Amino acid sequence: MLDATNVFTLLQSSTRFLESQKLQDAKIEAEFLLSAALNVKRSKLAIIRGYKPTENETNLFTQYVKRRSEREPAAYITGSCGFMGLEFSVDKNVLIPRPETELLVEKVLERTGEISRKAKILDLCTGSGCIAVSLSKLGSFYVTASDISRKALDIAKKNAVANNALNIEFIRSDIFEALGDRQFDIIVSNPPYVSNDEYADLEPELMYEPKIALATEENGLFFYKKIALEAKKYLNDSGILFLELNANKSVEIKQIFQDNDFKNIDIFNDYSNLPRVLKADIKGS
């Protein structure tokens, strides 16, 4: 039972409960959920520590804590997630944006800054639209965002409008299938890359996320092989490819693109020093 005397006691009791359920960072989780239930910034909780929540606020927070104790991700519970300083709506039809994927966006922004603010970008497997919206909003680029899931595209469109990123075209497509003769300066993607064996060992929170956006065939390499084989048809002569990597298979993935004659292949490590982003050019320097 949570102690609802005030914000301070609610946080104490909910933290103890989440710790008893073996959740890491229980205090941070409790603060995140309580700030959502109260509709205040997390940083404000310390200032209002003596505030007594209403019955509705307490009931909502209690529901949040129960759902989190069952290992449902906090972003699905609150319906939102931060990414690149922007806010994105999420539900169980899309992956929750990860901090690691911010590196992918950062590397694209670095390279497009060198090329042109008129660069045309394709975001394959857009999901929530976090990559496409961030590139459109932060870089002012024209982005084509594609996904096979209609429900994912609906969420991505909602996020584009909410973030006032209006120069995005959304297309329902199975990888390149519906793109016609479009040409791009850059193709970027965070494709499904978990193998079926890896999927069986994932933490419980990931079981709430759409399997179609996580796991794939050919030992997790299907999308990398497909992109390596077909991307050149959709890239301009000086086109560049940026992909998020399965860190456990970075060597294999690099070899796939070498075998398909991509040039200047670089791999960038994420903030945990894991190989996370691959960059490859059509032409050599």
Side-chain angles (χ1 to χ4, degrees):
M1 186 69 181
L2 301 183
D3 184 347
T5 303
N6 54 40
V7 165
F8 177 72
T9 58
L10 257 184
L11 280 176
Q12 281 191 318
S13 59
S14 58
T15 298
R16 285 195 298 268
F17 174 70
L18 291 175
E19 286 174 340
S20 74
Q21 302 302 303
K22 311 302 182 186
L23 267 77
Q24 295 182 350
D25 302 318
K27 183 174 184 293
I28 294 173
E29 297 265 14
E31 290 175 348
F32 178 78
L33 295 174
L34 183 55
S35 64
L38 298 179
N39 196 27
V40 299
K41 291 183 178 180
R42 184 178 153 209
S43 59
K44 191 179 178 182
L45 292 177
I47 300 173
I48 61 170
R49 64 202 307 264
Y51 169 73
K52 179 175 175 55
T54 66
E55 183 177 354
N56 286 341
E57 289 171 336
T58 301
N59 290 339
L60 180 60
F61 178 58
T62 301
Q63 292 172 24
Y64 283 178
V65 172
K66 182 179 184 298
R67 290 169 65 183
R68 187 66 190 100
S69 73
E70 295 167 352
R71 306 300 292 267
E72 183 176 355
Y76 287 156
I77 295 170
T78 64
S80 68
C81 181
F83 183 84
M84 293 298 294
L86 305 172
E87 200 68 24
F88 290 85
S89 294
V90 293
D91 66 17
K92 294 176 185 179
N93 293 297
V94 297
L95 290 184
I96 298 167
R98 273 29 178 214
E100 295 84 1
T101 306
E102 292 189 351
L103 178 65
L104 179 63
V105 174
E106 289 166 2
K107 290 302 177 182
V108 176
L109 288 172
E110 285 177 13
R111 191 60 182 263
T112 49
E114 298 171 10
I115 301 171
S116 168
R117 288 296 176 182
K118 296 180 180 179
K120 292 182 179 179
I121 300 175
L122 169 64
D123 175 27
L124 287 174
C125 310
T126 194
S128 68
C130 64
I131 294 173
V133 170
S134 297
L135 291 173
S136 172
K137 182 73 174 180
L138 303 177
S140 300
F141 303 112
Y142 183 84
V143 183
T144 298
S146 73
D147 202 287
I148 195 172
S149 168
R150 285 193 178 91
K151 291 181 178 179
L153 286 172
D154 287 342
I155 295 168
K157 292 173 185 177
K158 176 182 176 181
N159 283 322
V161 172
N163 285 288
N164 198 33
L166 304 181
N167 52 338
I168 304 177
E169 176 188 18
F170 293 96
I171 297 177
R172 184 169 182 263
S173 179
D174 185 358
I175 316 182
F176 297 104
E177 187 179 79
L179 295 177
D181 58 357
R182 290 174 174 83
Q183 291 274 296
F184 303 94
D185 301 293
I186 289 175
I187 294 176
V188 60
S189 184
N190 178 18
Y193 58 62
V194 176
S195 70
N196 290 324
D197 288 342
E198 290 172 324
Y199 185 80
D201 294 329
L202 293 177
E203 59 192 31
E205 281 82 353
L206 286 165
M207 296 299 105
Y208 284 87
E209 303 199 48
K211 184 176 181 180
I212 191 176
L214 280 170
T216 190
E217 302 300 320
E218 299 188 40
N219 200 29
L221 299 175
F222 172 81
F223 281 88
Y224 296 116
K225 291 179 179 179
K226 189 76 170 177
I227 292 170
L229 186 64
E230 297 188 24
K232 288 184 180 180
K233 292 184 288 186
Y234 300 92
L235 282 166
N236 295 326
D237 289 342
S238 58
I240 313 167
L241 192 63
F242 288 90
L243 300 174
E244 181 162 329
L245 296 176
N246 180 333
N248 299 322
K249 297 184 172 69
S250 62
V251 174
E252 295 172 73
I253 297 166
K254 182 176 181 179
Q255 188 63 52
I256 289 170
F257 286 90
Q258 287 175 334
D259 291 345
N260 281 273
D261 204 29
F262 280 85
K263 311 296 184 183
N264 300 329
I265 300 174
D266 293 317
I267 292 180
F268 304 99
N269 288 0
D270 63 19
Y271 312 113
S272 299
N273 205 33
L274 295 172
R276 186 59 61 189
V277 172
L278 177 143
K279 186 275 296 178
D281 297 343
I282 283 186
K283 291 184 176 180
S285 55

